[in-house]
Structure formats: structure tokens, C-alpha cells
Amino acid sequence: LSFIKNDGTTTQGYIQSDNTNLTIYAITDLKFNTNSTLAMTLNSSGNLGIGTTPAASLHIYRNTTSGAAASYPNIRITNANAAGYSGLYFFNGSGQVAGIEINNAVGAMQLFTGTSERMRIDSSGNVGIGYSNPVSKLHVHAAGSTVNYLAVGNTNNGIVFGVATDGSGRIGTYAGNVAIDFGGSSST
């Protein structure tokens, strides 16, 4: 099936089958319209635009300020298996570099660097950094370390909270010149 320009001489596109594949060919962009409104564009660079002409590999556009969530620009990923996972993963030429995974069984969002989980937000809203079962609003754990630290501040000034595996701890400054130790020897 060929599509010819109004002058009758130039093929603008065609649809054909070779008994294995169905090929749709367009000279420039392949556009899909509904009710005279652009619904989707696949351009010659392989970029896909939904509701727009694409400016990236995948470009979703919708102009709304209110209404149901289904009317906002969004991506929906569904795994109907209650014990399953859904995810969004980022790769380079060597493998996975990051990811976001949803664990349907426990209602948790897990964030990865490489293939290692680094942070989890559980179904109660508790955040675990280095820990997959947070028991408070923020739970920081450094596996294999003798001291777990939480630092609040900028690169030069701030407060450090630390707890050692022996139960001792410290609240101090980055510079270390002021500290309160507990469960162990005192410090200045």
C-alpha cells in the first residue's frame, strides 16, 4: 500500500509485508492524529513524542493544570502479580548503573546504584539508607563499618551523629573540636 504526494509522482510512504515483518515507512515523520489533534509522532531519528513532536528519545506532553491523575503527563508501569516487582533501570555500555524498583509484596521503593540497593522507602514512609528494613523515619546503616555516621551541614561546617557497633556514640562537629561522647570515654 503506497501513499503518493498530490502531484502523483512522489511516494510519501508505504505499508508492506514480507511474510515475516510488517513495515510502515514514511519519508519524514510518522504522525498519528485523533480528532484532528496530534496524538503521537515517531521521527526519523527514532524519537517518540506522545502529544508532541519529540525533543528527546521519549517525550510526553500534555497541557493540564488540574483534574484526575490520568489526565497529567505520566508513565504507568503495572505488574499484576502482588508478589512481583516493577522497575526503571539505567544502563551504560557495561551494565546497570542505577535503578528504581517497586516491591509489590511489601509496598517499598528501592533505589540502586549499579545493582546494589542503597536506599529504601517502606510502606510506612520510613527511609533506610544502607538498610532494607528501616525502623524509624530515617535509619542510616553502614554495613561492615564499626561506626555509622549521619552528617548534617555543608562541606566545611556541620554536625555529625555517630553510633559505634559497641553501642557508644558521638555528637560533634565536622572539625572534631567539639563533641559529646556517650557509652565510652569522654572527649573535649
Side-chain angles (χ1 to χ4, degrees):
L1 177 62
S2 292
F3 301 93
I4 308 293
K5 194 173 180 180
N6 289 344
D7 64 11
T9 61
T10 308
T11 300
Q12 295 296 297
Y14 59 82
I15 300 173
Q16 76 177 31
S17 173
D18 62 5
N19 295 326
T20 304
N21 301 304
L22 178 65
T23 301
I24 300 173
Y25 171 81
I27 281 256
T28 56
D29 295 345
L30 184 59
K31 295 186 179 210
F32 299 86
N33 292 287
T34 58
N35 294 326
S36 300
T37 301
L38 177 65
M40 186 168 62
T41 302
L42 180 62
N43 71 17
S44 59
S45 297
N47 295 341
L48 179 64
I50 299 174
T52 188
T53 299
S57 298
L58 175 61
H59 185 168
I60 301 171
Y61 174 84
R62 197 173 271 172
N63 184 7
T64 60
T65 57
S66 63
S71 68
Y72 301 145
N74 62 71
I75 297 173
R76 183 175 179 168
I77 301 171
T78 302
N79 181 345
N81 186 324
Y85 290 80
S86 298
L88 181 61
Y89 306 97
F90 303 90
F91 288 80
N92 64 19
S94 302
Q96 182 175 324
V97 294
I100 301 168
E101 199 169 84
I102 305 301
N103 180 331
N104 291 354
V106 297
M109 177 189 297
Q110 300 157 228
L111 287 86
F112 293 80
T113 58
T115 57
S116 299
E117 181 179 340
R118 304 297 184 185
M119 186 171 88
R120 177 180 294 214
I121 303 172
D122 72 12
S123 61
S124 299
N126 294 340
V127 176
I129 298 174
Y131 196 63
S132 62
N133 191 22
V135 295
S136 60
K137 288 298 173 190
L138 179 60
H139 191 146
V140 180
H141 178 75
S145 176
T146 57
V147 181
N148 292 297
Y149 287 105
L150 173 63
V152 180
N154 61 31
T155 57
N156 298 316
N157 300 299
I159 298 174
V160 177
F161 303 89
V163 178
T165 55
D166 67 1
S168 63
R170 172 176 276 200
I171 300 173
T173 62
Y174 279 7
N177 56 357
V178 177
I180 300 170
D181 290 332
F182 51 92
S185 62
S186 63
S187 174
T188 59

